[in-house]
Amino acid sequence: MGRYAEVHSQSINDPEGFWGKAAEEIDWYKKWDKVLDGSNAPFYRWFVGGELNTCYNAVDRHVERGRADQPAIIYDSPVTNTVRKITYGEFQDLTAKFGGALRSLGVEKGDRVIIYMPMVPEALVAMLGCARIGAIHSVVFGGFAPNELATRINDAKPKVIVSASCGIEGAKVIPYKPMLDGAIDQAEHKVDGTIVMQRPQAEAPLKPGFDHDWTEITGKAEPADCVPVAATDPLYILYTSGTTGNPKGIVRDNGGHAVAMKYTMKNFYNCDPGEVFWAASDVGWVVGHSYIVYAPLLHGATTVVFEGKPVGTPDAGTFWRVISQHKIPTMFTAPTAFRAIKREDPNAELMKSYDLSHFRALFLAGERSDPDTIKWAENNLKVPVIDHWWQTETAWVIAGNPLGTELFPVKYGSACKPGFGWDIHAVGPDGHDVPAGDVGSLVAKLPMPPGTLMTLWQADDRCRKAYFDEFPGFYMTGDAGFVDEDGYVHVMTRVDDVINVAGHRLSTGGMEEILSAHPDVAEAAVIGAADELKGQMPVGFIVLKSGVSKSHSDVCAECVKMVREQIGAVAAFKTCTVVDRLPKTRSGKVLRGTMKKIADSEEFKMPATIDDPVILDEIREALQKVGYAGVKAA
Ligand code: COA
Ligand code: AMP
């Protein structure tokens, strides 16, 4: 039996023994009474009775054990021409002061704090400052509009919001404060105040008594110690797109999360304490939570906070510059970033001027890695390029090539083997396994390993319905795919309305709700059409109400503006087209899957239940006018 087979079968057959041992790598104030509690299935709980503090494990213990002078964070910001290192010792002081600042505003254990920040080290200080005092953070990605932020404020009901005066997106300075103010005004839940980090690129006016300047409030704060919390207390809520415009608040625990994060660093990524680990993502996404913040720090590694883009800051060689300058052996990003680099520098000329001899492995996730991108990266970097599959719900890898345990031959288009503690099946509508190689719904047998979602914030029922009801005894991932005869998992597509734009997860249902609210629109459909750079791009179809005299292009432009204002720039909703009718089944279900196939010039079977097949020709024509359905390829 190979090393992976041995470890994986232990993790499945004896989860308590396996994760109980892994938990010894974490420092506990009080040891758990039970490793796994299944008494309230499907809501499993890990390390019940245990007490720990995630910030202590990620920061303080490293200071106590000789890492005080090692950088915890390297902040590399080509957009501000800054490289700043923060040692573990300094980081401990910063989180203690920030925890104290939160306390001075009345934040205590169990209270929520929303963090709406760009990629600056202060975002990590704020997250760990919350963890230090047992407050629950909820980071909202900076590219979301005030309306999305307001939805999260209403759901999480935070006492305080932490933000910065602006973000910097390539050459653009984006003031955050007006968006923050807009969201606070719009939200029904009223927060007690804000803490704002002023950035010289665009300082923000602060309302006395409500907005607190970061430097001032932390300057006078009493440093806070780490407080013990229960292993099962929430560490954070992270909202993600679901099947409607209402985001789902994924709740993460402290204990199981710390154990799983620490375990993956060596056993999956093959990273050692003291090494530099770089996840080029954003703290607003789960990849950022797990592999910019928690896992590298729990492991005593150095993490990189990169404020830039793969291209244009200043060029397509910026990743190679960062890897070489900070001697980074392992990096993690989304395939779209590599597609952007490949498009600008197809022969990787810019790579040649940097010393990458210490670079060991590239990990890709967030969307399916297309074989061309993997091969390009392999040929140029000459190191293992590892696609791995995971989700906001899971916090870490569901399937991937476990470099730190055993490296398997690559099968292009597959995310490789199930991760530790993951028992993955492709099932049919009856819940039974489909034959190896056949596409089914990808599900995980319960219990899932530690660190995975506890529930949805104050919505156990919604959680059950979304993930556990359809296939009792299993977690439904929402992805479809197959497991082949060698046990490799292939993730093909979503089973719901979620699309993936530049590694960002978005709900087409949410966009449709916005389009349908336009006064001239009778009904709307949004699909994710294939895009060479971003993987998918949303394309909107609107049917106008009768008697609308406005020009089609004006209505479309207004719709584009509405989505940008209500979801945010991150939705990248730029294409909208007017059609006379939407293709539907006889029972009235819009045939989005067929529309997508037409957009992508894929063959499709005429749906047997289609109401009127002629509409599909009209859809094809409309798509061709906006550059899809074979027009681009021609
Ligand atoms: N704050 C404010 N606005 C933001 C933002 C932030 N944190 N992040 C993105 N935006 C804006 C962008 O400025 C852009 O606005 P625009 O329409 O005015 O140009 C829009 O949101 C879309 O951004 P993005 O998806 O990043 O597209 P891009 O065209 O600027 O860059 C890539 C394309 C491929 C270079 C970029 O998406 C990328 O680097 N992706 C890496 C993948 C990644 O980090 N995935 C996370 C999960 S692992
Ligand atoms: P998010 O929750 O934003 O991380 O998005 C999770 C979704 O992204 C998954 O459900 C998949 O649809 C998709 N995804 C992430 N990683 C991969 C991968 N390696 N291969 C295929 N799809 C992926």
Side-chain angles (χ1 to χ4, degrees):
M1 199 190 257
R3 173 102 185 99
Y4 163 83
E6 198 182 307
V7 174
H8 185 257
S9 81
Q10 267 173 21
S11 72
I12 300 296
N13 298 328
D14 178 19
E16 297 208 49
F18 185 87
W19 293 110
K21 183 155 181 294
E24 287 167 13
E25 296 286 315
I26 294 297
D27 284 54
W28 301 82
Y29 297 114
K30 178 174 170 288
K31 212 179 156 186
W32 53 92
D33 302 321
K34 211 169 167 10
V35 174
L36 176 64
D37 176 4
S39 59
N40 189 30
F43 301 106
Y44 288 83
R45 294 293 176 257
W46 288 92
F47 306 107
V48 175
E51 286 179 9
L52 76 162
N53 182 283
T54 297
C55 182
Y56 175 79
N57 276 280
V59 186
D60 298 51
R61 67 168 175 167
H62 303 312
V63 176
E64 289 165 13
R65 292 176 206 164
R67 296 194 187 277
D69 297 328
Q70 178 196 312
I73 298 175
I74 299 172
Y75 168 53
D76 187 308
S77 168
V79 295
T80 58
N81 270 321
T82 312
V83 172
R84 175 182 158 207
K85 294 186 181 173
I86 299 173
T87 64
Y88 270 103
E90 291 162 341
F91 196 42
Q92 182 182 27
D93 291 343
L94 292 168
T95 57
K97 284 282 200 175
F98 195 79
L102 288 172
R103 281 229 178 102
S104 72
L105 297 179
V107 176
E108 291 299 338
K109 192 166 157 176
D111 289 336
R112 274 81 57 214
V113 173
I114 279 188
I115 300 171
Y116 184 62
M117 295 188 85
M119 279 295 289
V120 288
E122 285 75 6
L124 282 69
V125 172
M127 291 166 80
L128 285 149
C130 287
R132 199 169 181 90
I133 62 166
I136 303 166
H137 63 69
S138 184
V139 182
V140 179
F141 178 62
F144 280 121
N147 179 58
E148 290 284 329
L149 181 54
T151 310
R152 287 154 175 79
I153 295 174
N154 285 336
D155 198 65
K157 302 196 172 30
K159 267 204 174 145
V160 168
I161 303 185
V162 186
S163 191
S165 58
C166 66
I168 303 160
E169 275 288 298
K172 287 177 293 185
V173 173
I174 302 188
Y176 273 31
K177 189 65 180 18
M179 295 200 271
L180 176 63
D181 290 344
I184 290 174
D185 283 349
Q186 219 175 311
E188 278 159 30
H189 170 77
K190 292 301 158 203
V191 298
D192 294 350
T194 74
I195 299 179
V196 179
M197 176 210 169
Q198 294 283 19
R199 305 189 77 188
Q201 292 79 7
E203 293 217 357
L206 302 183
K207 280 188 233 86
F210 184 79
D211 297 322
H212 304 273
D213 176 79
W214 177 294
T215 313
E216 265 175 40
I217 195 164
T218 55
K220 55 187 188 210
E222 196 60 40
D225 264 344
C226 297
V227 301
V229 300
T232 52
D233 279 343
L235 169 67
Y236 69 77
I237 307 167
L238 179 58
Y239 288 89
T240 190
S241 300
T243 41
T244 65
N246 242 357
K248 296 170 174 168
I250 306 295
V251 181
R252 194 84 62 215
D253 63 353
N254 273 274
H257 174 253
V259 172
M261 290 289 102
K262 171 81 177 109
Y263 185 81
T264 56
M265 283 303 285
K266 178 67 193 164
N267 298 288
F268 188 78
Y269 295 99
N270 200 26
C271 168
D272 285 317
E275 288 188 339
V276 187
F277 187 87
W278 180 25
S281 176
D282 188 288
V283 288
W285 307 117
V286 69
V287 172
H289 278 62
S290 294
Y291 291 101
I292 295 174
V293 187
Y294 287 109
L297 296 175
L298 285 160
H299 199 48
T302 297
T303 189
V304 179
V305 172
F306 174 69
E307 190 182 29
K309 297 253 175 186
V311 293
T313 60
D315 56 31
T318 200
F319 274 18
W320 324 134
R321 195 268 303 159
V322 174
I323 292 172
S324 137
Q325 186 170 339
H326 306 303
K327 301 247 169 320
I328 297 172
T330 318
M331 106 166 267
F332 178 168
T333 191
T336 188
F338 266 70
R339 287 198 296 270
I341 295 171
K342 183 172 77 160
R343 192 167 73 166
E344 290 218 349
D345 184 16
N347 298 320
E349 292 298 334
L350 293 167
M351 203 185 270
K352 293 179 186 142
S353 39
Y354 297 100
D355 173 12
L356 305 182
S357 53
H358 52 279
F359 190 58
R360 291 199 307 254
L362 170 70
F363 290 85
L364 298 173
E367 57 177 319
R368 185 161 183 267
S369 281
D370 54 290
D372 278 357
T373 302
I374 297 202
K375 286 179 192 163
W376 185 86
E378 283 175 339
N379 290 340
N380 289 297
L381 288 166
K382 304 197 167 37
V383 296
V385 176
I386 294 178
D387 178 16
H388 59 323
W389 168 48
W390 50 300
Q391 313 180 309
T392 308
E393 288 84 347
T394 69
W396 56 281
V397 50
I398 314 170
N401 206 340
L403 180 66
T405 299
E406 181 178 348
L407 189 66
F408 288 95
V410 173
K411 286 196 192 185
Y412 296 102
S414 164
C416 205
K417 302 270 181 166
F420 315 104
W422 289 100
D423 186 2
I424 299 299
H425 298 254
V427 297
D430 59 358
H432 290 116
D433 283 21
V434 295
D438 282 9
V439 173
S441 198
L442 290 171
V443 299
K445 190 162 189 307
L446 298 177
M448 286 187 280
T452 50
L453 86 161
M454 295 181 81
T455 185
L456 297 179
W457 179 247
Q458 297 192 329
D460 283 355
D461 277 350
R462 186 175 176 206
C463 182
R464 254 181 228 280
K465 276 193 203 109
Y467 302 109
F468 301 116
D469 278 358
E470 186 144 347
F471 301 110
F474 292 89
Y475 162 76
M476 186 174 86
T477 64
D479 285 312
F482 63 94
V483 181
D484 70 19
E485 62 288 353
D486 299 321
Y488 280 55
V489 179
H490 301 245
V491 184
M492 309 303 288
T493 181
R494 289 287 303 191
V495 296
D496 53 18
D497 74 340
V498 165
I499 59 169
N500 200 311
V501 180
H504 309 320
R505 173 169 159 181
L506 299 161
S507 155
T508 53
M511 296 183 207
E512 288 175 5
E513 279 172 26
I514 295 170
L515 301 183
S516 305
H518 186 289
D520 298 330
V521 172
E523 59 177 342
V526 176
I527 59 163
D531 183 81
E532 248 175 49
L533 174 66
K534 297 199 176 189
Q536 289 185 314
M537 280 292 265
V539 175
F541 300 83
I542 50 176
V543 177
L544 299 183
K545 287 180 182 162
S546 61
V548 171
S549 55
K550 225 186 262 171
S551 81
H552 288 186
S553 60
D554 280 356
V555 182
C556 285
E558 285 165 17
C559 285
V560 166
K561 189 159 168 270
M562 279 170 80
V563 175
R564 191 176 174 97
E565 278 170 2
Q566 291 184 43
I567 297 182
V570 66
F573 183 79
K574 301 197 166 159
T575 307
C576 184
T577 181
V578 175
V579 290
D580 287 339
R581 301 167 294 172
L582 292 174
K584 291 184 185 170
T585 60
R586 280 190 280 278
S587 60
K589 199 167 169 286
V590 177
L591 290 161
R592 293 181 185 78
T594 310
M595 292 163 81
K596 177 176 160 43
K597 286 211 161 87
I598 296 174
D600 299 348
S601 308
E602 277 180 28
E603 279 187 23
F604 64 90
K605 239 171 69 194
M606 182 63 71
T609 53
I610 191 164
D611 185 31
D612 179 1
V614 176
I615 305 180
L616 294 183
D617 295 331
E618 295 169 18
I619 294 292
R620 180 176 291 105
E621 254 173 56
L623 277 163
Q624 285 174 338
K625 278 194 201 134
V626 290
Y628 289 92
V631 163
K632 267 187 191 163

